[in-house]
């Protein structure tokens, strides 16, 4: 996201994250070495895709929070206050890391 897109553009097309997690839990390890290595590679790709989606959702959340704060009359210099802490809480990270994750997104 470049900051100009609406957060609503991230609405899921079908499955929820919970649905995907349930599907993943049902995957059985392969029975041969090549299959196991292939699964490890596919899981690494999945982690990368999940991290990219986390970043897009983080940006969408930040934009939405700033809009809601502005609509509530918060001064421009204070817009975005608390967003990093909320990101940290959702990701089970420290508040300081939440701010860094927000900045990276």
């Amino acid at each position: 996201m470049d900051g100009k897109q609406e957060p609503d553009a991230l609405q899921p097309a079908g499955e929820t994250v919970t649905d995907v997690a349930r599907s993943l839990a049902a995957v059985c390890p392969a029975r041969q070495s090549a299959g196991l290595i292939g699964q490890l590679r596919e899981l690494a790709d999945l982690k990368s895709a999940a991290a990219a989606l986390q970043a897009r959702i983080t940006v969408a959340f930040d934009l939405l929070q700033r809009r809601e704060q502005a609509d509530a009359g918060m001064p421009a210099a204070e817009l975005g206050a608390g967003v990093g802490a909320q990101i940290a809480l959702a990701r089970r990270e420290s508040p300081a890391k939440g701010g860094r994750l927000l900045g990276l997104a």
Side-chain angles (χ1 to χ4, degrees):
M1 282 177 86
D2 60 8
K4 297 176 185 166
Q5 297 162 316
E6 291 295 316
D8 296 337
L10 293 175
Q11 292 300 315
E15 287 186 300
T16 66
V17 174
T18 301
D19 294 334
V20 173
R22 284 187 186 125
S23 295
L24 186 60
V27 174
C28 295
R31 294 177 182 238
Q32 297 178 349
S33 294
L36 291 168
I37 291 298
Q39 284 179 319
L40 287 173
R41 177 56 180 222
E42 290 170 348
L43 288 168
D45 292 345
L46 180 62
K47 283 187 349 185
S48 295
L53 182 55
Q54 278 183 316
R56 290 193 309 271
I57 289 171
T58 296
V59 170
F61 181 74
D62 181 49
L63 291 172
L64 187 58
Q65 286 292 293
R66 288 173 182 273
R67 184 183 316 141
E68 290 174 358
Q69 290 171 350
D71 291 347
M74 184 176 277
E78 295 177 25
L79 294 180
V83 173
Q86 292 180 76
I87 297 299
L89 184 62
R91 293 188 60 170
R92 297 184 173 104
E93 298 285 356
S94 71
K97 186 161 185 186
R100 288 193 304 271
L101 290 166
L102 176 58
L104 288 171

